[in-house]
Amino acid sequence: MIAPERCSCVVSASLRVAAAEPRRDGSWGCSGLLLDRKRGLVLCHGQIFFPFLRQAQQDPNRQPFLLPGAFHPDLQIHIQFPGAKSRAQPQPRLPLATHHAGALAAESESSQLDYSPKRPSLTDGVVKAQSCSQAEMLMMFPCPEFRDIFQTLFNKSDKWQFYSEDNEEELQANALDLVWFALLRCPGWVNGDTVVWGENLLYVRSERLMKGQPLFCCASPFASFCNDIFMNTFSKGIVSNLAGERNAMILTDARCLPGTEGGGTYIISQDMYYLAGLIVAPLCWKANEWVGLTLVCSVTCILEAIGRIVNGFEILGPPSLTALGSQGLTRLLGSVVLLESGRVWGSGVLVSPRLIITCRHVLDQAATVRVKIQSGSNGYLVLKGRVVFATKKNSAYDVALVELEEDHSLTEIPTIASEFKMGDDVCVIGYGVFGRACGPSVTAGVLSAVICMEDRPVMLQTTCAVHAGASGGPVFRTKSGELLGIVSSNARNNLRGATYPHLNFSIPITVLHPLLSAYCRASDATVFEGLNKENKQLHALWTLRARTSSPRRSKL
């Protein structure tokens, strides 16, 4: 495959509105993608345009798409990008109070993403020169497949909130606004002195994505503020989960910031970058708890939505990849189980064909639980499990052991780790957030701390994003697939009521492995009773108190 020297550009847009209508006065920003250089076509997120709808179009979700006439006639859009010549003249960067007084205006910026056959460094996105071009709205449209899975997963009863960089209250009036995208055209890029860079974008069909794949995001955070600094910012994570028809919804643990809406997410294959999706919501909360995952819409579904509207209009070249994914991670996914006990549910990991380790609080004092093991991409094998041991509530360790009624020999049992190295790449697999609907999620990070007592590891700390429902799930060493421990808890600020998904604590497998071996030999659950032994120092550690004698209550 011949790698085009430059095959994509990332754009960031910011809308600035004068006081022609006071309720619309404000500034909005997002990122976007240059899809077709020859025709000057740009794709971005549509949410920033909703404040400029005419009064008669205030319920757009009943429309299949919106044309320019649905928006305020004075709406202007400008896209700024580096290093390309254009007849469009850059607009002066004036304070909001004096910028295009008496008219609606939009200003946007863009930057180039180098698609040479090498992986990017953190300085590849440094911008030295920028040009600005005025754009026109072609249409705004929803992605039906993304909308369907969005309505299924994001229930109003869960109190989901999605943060936008600007004017949070107005932009969050309707969460379904998140499923809309806008197709723009920049006439200045197709006339006269325009410089055309290489070929069109390469992309990968979302059906070929797999959990655990490395994923890059490239966008412009804080798009309406100081793009000279923030434009073309890289972030790295993995594909955490996939949901919906043709994997219309992609969840990633790549850290993205406000203003990156509309930016691209990319998969690497053979040192080439392939567009996988567009960022929809970089920050979201469930019942006032930060989730720590970025919501992405499949570019495959977006392009097909455009094609349905304009009768087969093709923007990008055909997918070039035949397979993507991590077979090692697929093997690990099979060892993670979903445990259900009434209305309580959580995760666990198979450590033998019949034994599952999990957390005590996942079982909710039940004697039996329903165990679900993912079988293939769409189905589950449902088994019955018997609780053979659970630590007491006053124990420092939150541990339980579940035994299946029959051996499950279809899953490869993970290798047990014997040592821990701070800084190692790790991943957590569990049924958090959307786990019951989409299967286990995967988040990546590093082993950030190994806490020891009497020279023995008693607690592991990782930077992986962990959510409710992931308790009992395994922590694996990414490189080798070794089982390091099971997730027990993450940190919560009791004073503010905020949970920190990227600060979590796990029980080292070295604490449990000798006991598991003894149980497998004798089938005697009393071998675990040592976990209930009172240890004030260990108990203080697991309740996040620095000193056992301190009268102050920990805020975590």
Side-chain angles (χ1 to χ4, degrees):
M1 179 184 299
I2 298 176
E5 181 183 358
R6 299 195 173 193
C7 194
S8 177
C9 128
V10 175
V11 298
S12 63
S14 61
L15 275 72
R16 301 180 184 274
V17 185
E21 293 188 29
R23 73 177 187 85
R24 288 195 178 99
D25 189 25
S27 173
W28 289 267
C30 76
S31 302
L33 291 167
L34 176 58
L35 293 182
D36 188 314
R37 292 165 183 77
K38 294 182 180 180
R39 285 176 281 189
L41 297 179
V42 173
L43 178 67
C44 69
H45 198 237
Q47 190 183 35
I48 59 173
F49 296 102
F50 277 101
F52 312 116
L53 284 173
R54 293 173 179 268
Q55 288 289 339
Q57 297 287 342
Q58 289 304 306
D59 190 11
N61 286 299
R62 294 186 177 182
Q63 306 294 328
F65 57 89
L66 298 172
L67 297 176
F71 298 89
H72 195 285
D74 293 331
L75 175 65
Q76 296 182 21
I77 307 168
H78 294 273
I79 297 179
Q80 190 168 330
F81 56 100
K85 297 179 181 179
S86 171
R87 287 188 174 184
Q89 296 299 317
Q91 297 295 320
R93 301 188 66 122
L94 301 178
L96 178 61
T98 61
H99 187 62
H100 294 289
L104 296 176
E107 177 177 311
S108 63
E109 300 191 0
S110 71
S111 67
Q112 183 108 17
L113 174 62
D114 190 351
Y115 264 49
S116 56
K118 63 182 179 67
R119 299 190 181 213
S121 69
L122 294 178
T123 59
D124 284 342
V126 175
V127 176
K128 295 182 178 180
Q130 299 178 10
S131 299
C132 185
S133 178
Q134 183 168 334
E136 60 186 13
M137 169 79 74
L138 293 182
M139 64 176 176
M140 199 163 81
F141 59 94
C143 177
E145 294 88 353
F146 186 78
R147 178 181 56 201
D148 291 345
I149 189 61
F150 185 91
Q151 291 178 303
T152 299
L153 296 182
F154 293 93
N155 298 317
K156 290 184 178 180
S157 60
D158 291 329
K159 301 179 180 179
W160 284 97
Q161 293 179 316
F162 304 92
Y163 177 82
S164 181
E165 178 187 0
D166 305 292
N167 202 327
E168 180 179 354
E169 292 183 2
E170 186 165 355
L171 288 183
Q172 295 305 318
N174 189 346
L176 279 180
D177 293 354
L178 293 172
V179 309
W180 285 75
F181 302 88
L183 185 64
L184 313 175
R185 179 176 178 268
C186 300
W189 292 358
V190 295
N191 297 319
D193 298 330
T194 300
V195 175
V196 178
W197 300 304
E199 301 297 329
N200 290 333
L201 279 169
L202 300 176
Y203 73 104
V204 58
R205 288 194 173 277
S206 51
E207 298 95 318
R208 301 188 184 278
L209 299 178
M210 295 180 66
K211 297 177 185 180
Q213 287 178 287
L215 181 147
F216 283 88
C217 297
C218 187
S220 300
F222 310 111
S224 61
F225 174 75
C226 202
N227 286 326
D228 294 339
I229 297 175
F230 296 111
M231 189 183 299
N232 231 25
T233 299
F234 267 82
S235 178
K236 182 180 179 182
I238 62 173
V239 177
S240 295
N241 215 327
L242 301 160
E245 183 180 353
R246 287 173 295 175
N247 292 337
M249 181 177 292
I250 305 167
L251 289 166
T252 175
D253 61 359
R255 310 288 180 85
C256 296
L257 295 169
T260 58
E261 299 91 339
T265 60
Y266 301 86
I267 296 295
I268 294 179
S269 179
Q270 298 179 348
D271 288 326
M272 290 291 293
Y273 286 78
Y274 294 81
L275 179 65
L278 264 69
I279 298 171
V280 170
L283 299 176
C284 54
W285 281 261
K286 182 180 181 181
N288 297 320
E289 292 189 358
W290 179 39
V291 172
L293 297 178
T294 296
L295 186 64
V296 177
C297 180
S298 156
V299 69
T300 307
C301 296
I302 294 175
L303 296 178
E304 291 181 357
I306 296 175
R308 285 191 291 265
I309 296 172
V310 295
N311 193 24
F313 177 70
E314 183 176 351
I315 297 175
L316 305 186
S320 303
L321 304 186
T322 57
L324 285 171
S326 171
Q327 296 302 321
L329 182 60
T330 302
R331 174 177 58 82
L332 297 179
L333 285 169
S335 65
V336 184
V337 304
L338 172 65
L339 301 171
E340 295 179 329
S341 175
R343 300 180 63 181
V344 180
W345 53 277
S347 306
V349 58
L350 282 160
V351 292
S352 82
R354 185 170 287 196
L355 292 179
I356 297 169
I357 302 177
T358 186
C359 290
R360 177 195 64 245
H361 72 266
V362 168
L363 306 178
D364 194 30
Q365 300 181 343
T368 60
V369 293
R370 185 164 63 166
V371 180
K372 290 185 176 181
I373 304 174
Q374 196 167 34
S375 176
S377 58
N378 299 316
Y380 285 92
L381 178 64
V382 181
L383 302 172
K384 186 176 181 181
R386 178 176 62 92
V387 179
V388 296
F389 176 80
T391 53
K392 298 178 180 179
K393 288 188 176 181
N394 61 355
S395 170
Y397 290 120
D398 184 352
V399 175
L401 185 70
V402 175
E403 188 172 59
L404 298 175
E405 290 187 340
E406 58 188 63
D407 287 353
H408 178 66
S409 58
L410 301 179
T411 296
E412 185 175 345
I413 303 303
T415 302
I416 303 298
S418 59
E419 60 179 359
F420 310 100
K421 296 180 180 179
M422 290 176 56
D424 272 359
D425 291 331
V426 297
C427 65
V428 168
I429 304 179
Y431 285 82
V433 190
F434 305 114
R436 299 178 79 182
C438 310
S441 295
V442 187
T443 56
V446 299
L447 185 60
S448 53
V450 180
I451 296 90
C452 297
M453 290 180 57
E454 299 178 355
D455 297 325
R456 295 179 56 195
V458 294
M459 175 190 284
L460 305 179
Q461 181 180 312
T462 83
T463 62
C464 303
V466 169
H467 313 97
S471 294
V475 182
F476 291 113
R477 181 175 282 122
T478 304
K479 185 176 181 180
S480 64
E482 294 173 285
L483 177 62
L484 301 181
I486 63 166
V487 176
S488 178
S489 60
N490 55 10
R492 178 180 176 85
N493 189 320
N494 291 322
L495 299 180
R496 297 185 177 181
T499 299
Y500 306 104
H502 297 283
L503 177 60
N504 53 82
F505 311 98
S506 300
I507 301 170
I509 193 62
T510 51
V511 172
L512 305 174
H513 185 230
L515 307 177
L516 291 168
S517 299
Y519 177 78
C520 290
R521 289 192 301 268
S523 296
D524 182 4
T526 60
V527 299
F528 295 100
E529 287 298 333
L531 296 174
N532 288 324
K533 184 178 179 181
E534 184 178 1
N535 187 322
K536 292 183 178 180
Q537 186 179 2
L538 186 61
H539 189 273
L541 178 68
W542 274 98
T543 52
L544 305 188
R545 289 176 171 83
R547 298 178 181 178
T548 59
S549 59
S550 173
R552 297 178 58 187
R553 179 174 176 266
S554 171
K555 73 174 184 178
L556 295 179

